[in-house]
Structures are given as C-alpha cells and as structure tokens.
Amino acid sequence: LAEIKAENKQRFARWAKRQQGVTLNPDSIFNVQVKRLHEYKRQLLCAMRITQLQLMLHDDPDQPFQPRTFLFAAKAAPGYATAKRIIQLLCSLAADVNADPVCRGKLQVYFLPNYRVSAAEMLMPAAQVSEQISTAGKEASGTGNMKLMMNGAVTIGTLDGANVEMFEQLGADNMFLFGLHADEAEALRAAGYDPQAYVRRVLERMSRGYADGESYADLVSSLLYGGDPYLLLADFDDYAATHERLYAAIADSAARARLSLVNIARSGIFAADRAVREYAERIWEVHA
C-alpha cells in the first residue's frame, strides 16, 4: 500500500511539473484541500495554519518537523470577490513559502490552476491528508471527502456534512476531528462572539503581506471587525492542535499505512449501489 501511494505521489509530481513547471517534494506528506472556494469551507483557515508553521520554523529552524506539502485547488463564482481574494492570498503564500530558505525541504505550498476531473484523477490518489474543515452546520453534504477517504487519505475535519457519516465508520482513532459542533457554534454566536480575543501573530503576518508585497489586511479586518461569521478564529487553536496530533500519528510509516488502509476498507458503505438501494426502500418505496 505504501508503495502504491508513493508511486501515485511521484505520478502527481511529474504531472504538476509538466503542467506548471513546479517541483514538488514527493517525500513530503501531501496535505490536500480541494473543493469549491467558499468562506464557509475555510481555505483561509488552512492558510492561517501554514502561516503559523512558517513562523514556527523561523522561530526554531532546527526543530523536528515532518516535511509536508499543502496542495489546494478550487474554483470561485465569478462575482464572489472575497473567494477570489482568498485564491490570491493562497498564491501569495505559496510564492513566499516556496522561496523561503528556512522552509526548503520542510514546507511547500502549491495552488493547482484550472481544477477539473483530470486534475482530481491525478491528485486524489496522491493525497495523504484530507482537509474537510467547513464551519459546523454549514456543509449540506459534499462528496470530495469520501473520494479522498476511498483513496486512503486521512481526514482532519469538523463534524459537518458527510464527515458525520465518515466518523461513524472510522471513529476517533482513524479520523481527526476538531472545532465547535453546530450547536456549540450557534451558542457562541448567541453569547456574543468576539473574534478579536483570538490568535494575533498569524493575522499580523497576513496583514503585513508576503514576499510579493501584497497585504491581506482586508481579509484580516473582515475576521476581526466583520464578526468572523464562519468562526475561523474560534476554531483555530483546536485546528492547529489537531494538526499536530495527526502528524504525530502518521510520523511512523507503518502507522500511516494502517490509517490509510482502514480509511479505504471502511469507505465501502459510500458505494452508489448502497445509496440507491436505500433510496429505493426508504424514499421511493420501490422493493425488488
């Protein structure tokens, strides 16, 4: 299984080199977030985590650090200005991190342009960590998380959408949950959520901007002064801590392969045949 995953990563790296001329490190963990770009799906939360990791490496370049490559792909609605601004931030972050000598060989970021089925066919078999981090109570369903599970990626996510059904199959040992649940999120908002009470240093870095000189103070202001409707700041500390827990769990190659295998094996319930049969019996009341 480890050999298959390694070959899929090499294949994706070759494809990315042909497509964009980017050189990826196939020996790193491929950490993947691919989906429609929307604020509730919280690609920005993952960008905050990468910024934190870069800061941590600058604080202590010699610390033990498992090499990882963050891979993003998404499309945004033409009129969705904030979503396209987040894509711009991800590209700025990628350019900054990938040119940073402190991050070389340790941390890498790549945004795939023109996400499409043929790109997904290359990327999903190569994925090792799947980011499914929408704000609890906002994701209706989603299927990308199940496709990544079927390809042996280990999920870090919230208890939201189809993650709920996945967690029923996987349990806490094989899936890494974090963050407020939907009822807790509503209670926090009702109690008068103050986003300014949360993480500072990462936001300061985003406000200053990255190597391309582009400041993202507008996105930071929308979090601090716009009410942070998708609770990025409220969930950030737990998200970062769960990232640490996940990477500790997959540091050993045998443990990583076991987690991958359990995800593949337990994904069978999401087969279309089972779904259609249940619809026939429970909703359509059509019996064979």
Side-chain angles (χ1 to χ4, degrees):
L1 183 62
E3 289 174 5
I4 292 168
K5 182 61 73 173
E7 173 53 34
N8 287 334
K9 290 170 67 180
Q10 291 278 1
R11 184 174 66 134
F12 176 75
R14 292 192 296 269
W15 180 83
K17 182 71 172 179
R18 289 196 307 271
Q19 292 286 312
Q20 289 296 116
V22 65
T23 301
L24 299 177
N25 176 14
D27 294 326
S28 66
I29 298 296
F30 279 9
N31 191 302
V32 173
Q33 187 176 18
V34 288
K35 53 186 73 256
R36 188 167 52 87
L37 202 304
H38 196 292
E39 287 170 276
Y40 85 78
K41 292 182 183 290
R42 302 202 294 190
Q43 285 92 345
L44 186 55
L45 181 62
C46 193
M48 291 166 60
R49 172 60 177 163
I50 298 166
T51 299
Q52 183 188 47
L53 291 171
Q54 186 183 21
L55 290 169
M56 288 166 55
L57 286 171
H58 276 264
D59 289 344
D60 181 8
D62 297 323
Q63 65 180 284
F65 190 88
Q66 192 169 6
R68 61 202 75 178
T69 297
F70 285 84
L71 298 162
F72 294 92
K75 291 188 177 182
Y80 195 171
T82 301
K84 291 195 285 187
R85 185 75 171 135
I86 292 170
I87 291 175
Q88 186 179 1
L89 179 145
L90 292 170
C91 292
S92 291
L93 178 59
D96 189 291
V97 167
N98 297 343
D100 187 343
V102 174
C103 296
R104 189 169 298 126
K106 298 177 180 178
L107 183 63
Q108 192 173 24
V109 184
Y110 175 46
F111 187 94
L112 286 73
N114 191 24
Y115 188 50
R116 58 205 185 278
V117 170
S118 58
E121 287 173 339
M122 292 300 236
L123 178 57
M124 287 190 171
Q128 292 173 285
V129 174
S130 168
E131 300 268 350
Q132 305 296 332
I133 58 176
S134 58
T135 309
K138 297 294 183 182
E139 182 72 82
S141 58
T143 58
N145 49 1
M146 293 179 281
K147 292 168 188 168
L148 284 157
M149 175 188 178
M150 289 174 182
N151 279 279
V154 180
T155 298
I156 177 170
T158 50
L159 199 61
D160 194 39
N163 283 357
V164 176
E165 295 173 88
M166 286 169 54
F167 188 68
E168 289 173 357
Q169 302 303 315
L170 291 167
D173 291 336
N174 303 297
M175 185 174 176
F176 293 79
L177 290 185
F178 74 94
L180 298 167
H181 295 182
D183 57 339
E184 295 169 333
E186 287 304 315
L188 179 65
R189 293 187 186 99
Y193 169 50
D194 177 16
Q196 295 191 58
Y198 294 87
V199 58
R200 288 285 179 185
R201 195 173 170 213
V202 168
L203 298 181
E204 289 168 0
R205 176 76 176 89
M206 289 172 60
S207 291
R208 286 199 312 273
Y210 299 95
D212 60 3
E214 182 72 23
S215 167
Y216 293 92
D218 55 328
L219 293 177
V220 172
S221 293
S222 72
L223 295 177
L224 290 175
Y225 309 113
D228 185 19
Y230 300 107
L231 306 179
L232 277 72
L233 302 184
D235 275 346
F236 180 76
D237 285 347
D238 195 13
Y239 174 55
T242 304
H243 247 268
E244 295 291 340
R245 183 163 59 87
L246 189 162
Y247 273 86
I250 63 174
D252 176 74
S253 58
R256 183 163 65 245
R258 187 201 69 80
L259 273 170
S260 182
L261 181 57
V262 169
N263 271 266
I264 295 168
R266 296 187 184 173
S267 68
I269 193 172
F270 299 120
D273 287 351
R274 190 272 306 171
V276 170
R277 186 167 58 251
E278 284 192 6
Y279 265 73
E281 292 172 356
R282 297 183 185 179
I283 298 172
W284 304 323
E285 297 183 359
V286 176
H287 301 282

